[in-house]
Amino acid sequence: MDFKGLWTTIKKNAIHLFKKARKAIKRYIRKLVKHTKAGDYSVLIYTIFALVALILIIVMFANIFSLGGKKKSTLDITTTEVATPADVTEDPQIAAQMALKQQAMDIYSRNKDFIFLVDENHPLAEGYSFEHHTLNCGLDIDKRIYNDFSEMLNACNMAGYEYNIINAYIDKATQTELYNSAVAHYVDQGLLEEEAQAQVGKSVDKPGCSEHETGLAIDLTDVEVLGEEDYKSTRGTDQWLMNNCHKYGFINRYPANKVSVTGVSDEQWQFRYVGREAAEFMAANNLSLEEFMELVQ
Ligand SMILES: [Zn+2]
């Protein structure tokens, strides 16, 4: 398109129009003077009316546009000397916190199926069930997370890392066995049942209180990790998973920098599905699941 040519045409037309308007106004003034001199005041009166109306319209539009802006009248300035709730939200830090909360609540409302706490204080709902998908390794996960999970593992492989799936779904009966044998271990050493339970603490979850019962939690490590004592979280695969899991809807469930919030220090290899939107949000804002839940309360 020839913009230069277009501009010349517009300019030419504008000048032409301006000349025409000037001629019309001159003609009108001549007519006004002629009629008024002849003692006919009708044209003069009409002109005055038209000018007043034009001024009123301009003032009206000016008011509408200035009200749209944040211009305060003198009355507002005297009243805002007293702090009001509206002024509090103008504090940028509080406003940012409120915006973050709103965003979290929106994300939560769209992903409730995957975002909930399961721990000692939040037992899984009685009869909680989901459609299972059995992985090649023989472990089960929630079928809804399979696509994202396999995409993450493929990306991990593509990045040159080898992983090992340690744990996925654990049914309640197995969790009960795990828990009971952990307690029995301490009872055998001479502790009372209650003392033994306290000793087990958070290292083995009580039945109904393990995230693994949801099918949304997976223990995942570098292929070279032999066991809990051998886990360092500094191997390539573990680092890759921690840094990239959020892109696939997972969060590192018990990271080292959140032990004070989660109370779990020996499960850095656990990843938990919360959905892509929520995982991205939690990673970007450095939030654990506990902190996210507190934000949406
Ligand atoms: Zn685990």
Side-chain angles (χ1 to χ4, degrees):
M1 203 179 197
D2 181 11
F3 282 104
K4 219 174 164 186
L6 189 72
W7 174 239
T8 318
T9 317
I10 290 171
K11 220 161 72 176
K12 232 191 257 169
N13 278 320
I15 290 167
H16 179 66
L17 223 80
F18 176 72
K19 279 181 179 168
K20 248 183 147 178
R22 204 169 55 179
K23 253 187 216 167
I25 291 168
K26 271 184 181 169
R27 220 181 301 136
Y28 184 82
I29 291 172
R30 264 201 302 269
K31 195 175 154 192
L32 173 68
V33 171
K34 201 175 122 192
H35 278 257
T36 310
K37 270 186 179 170
D40 175 9
Y41 295 103
S42 62
V43 182
L44 182 68
I45 290 164
Y46 285 138
T47 308
I48 290 166
F49 267 118
L51 283 174
V52 168
L54 192 71
I55 289 164
L56 280 176
I57 288 168
I58 290 169
V59 168
M60 214 171 71
F61 270 96
N63 266 332
I64 288 169
F65 285 112
S66 74
L67 278 177
K70 277 203 168 174
K71 201 179 142 193
K72 277 181 180 170
S73 73
T74 45
L75 189 74
D76 286 334
I77 290 164
T78 53
T79 52
T80 48
E81 277 165 12
V82 180
T84 64
D87 288 326
V88 173
T89 60
E90 277 168 23
D91 181 322
Q93 238 180 330
I94 295 172
Q97 187 64 24
M98 280 173 71
L100 192 77
K101 187 182 174 73
Q102 189 55 53
Q103 210 185 339
M105 284 167 83
D106 291 346
I107 290 170
Y108 175 65
S109 69
R110 288 191 287 269
N111 301 275
K112 268 182 187 165
D113 286 355
F114 299 119
I115 308 176
F116 52 90
L117 281 173
V118 179
D119 58 32
E120 212 175 342
N121 302 315
H122 303 88
L124 196 56
E126 200 68 47
Y128 180 87
S129 68
F130 58 90
E131 213 177 320
H132 289 228
H133 176 93
T134 305
L135 301 166
N136 289 337
C137 62
L139 293 164
D140 278 16
I141 56 170
D142 187 318
K143 193 183 176 181
R144 295 170 296 177
I145 75 169
Y146 174 68
N147 284 340
D148 282 341
F149 184 57
S150 58
E151 208 176 302
M152 176 169 77
L153 296 185
N154 285 337
C156 181
N157 276 159
M158 291 292 282
Y161 300 111
E162 275 185 88
Y163 57 83
N164 190 20
I165 303 171
I166 306 273
N167 254 327
Y169 169 68
I170 299 176
D171 62 68
K172 200 172 179 179
T174 308
Q175 189 64 32
T176 307
E177 269 174 47
L178 284 170
Y179 184 76
N180 287 346
S181 70
V183 173
H185 169 76
Y186 289 109
V187 170
D188 283 348
Q189 291 184 355
L191 265 65
L192 294 170
E193 180 86 14
E194 268 174 40
E195 291 169 336
Q197 282 181 8
Q199 197 66 39
V200 170
K202 289 203 171 189
S203 62
V204 181
D205 293 309
K206 281 182 182 157
C209 301
S210 168
E211 227 174 37
H212 283 285
E213 291 174 50
T214 64
L216 303 172
I218 298 146
D219 294 340
L220 203 56
T221 69
D222 189 282
V223 73
E224 285 176 8
V225 175
L226 303 170
E228 212 173 288
E229 296 76 26
D230 187 42
Y231 184 78
K232 293 185 208 66
S233 84
T234 49
R235 289 183 171 93
T237 311
D238 303 314
Q239 286 293 306
W240 187 92
L241 288 167
M242 285 175 184
N243 294 330
N244 294 280
C245 64
H246 61 93
K247 297 172 192 165
Y248 307 92
F250 288 85
I251 52 166
N252 187 210
R253 186 63 183 89
Y254 305 113
N257 65 342
K258 293 289 178 185
V259 174
S260 62
V261 182
T262 63
V264 179
S265 59
D266 55 357
E267 281 265 357
Q268 280 187 71
W269 54 32
Q270 184 160 314
F271 294 86
R272 159 73 189 271
Y273 190 83
V274 288
R276 290 192 184 215
E277 194 184 7
E280 293 277 10
F281 180 82
M282 288 184 214
N285 295 288
N286 185 29
L287 295 171
S288 67
L289 186 56
E290 282 81 2
E291 290 166 320
F292 181 87
M293 292 311 286
E294 207 174 301
L295 203 56
V296 299
Q297 287 315 305

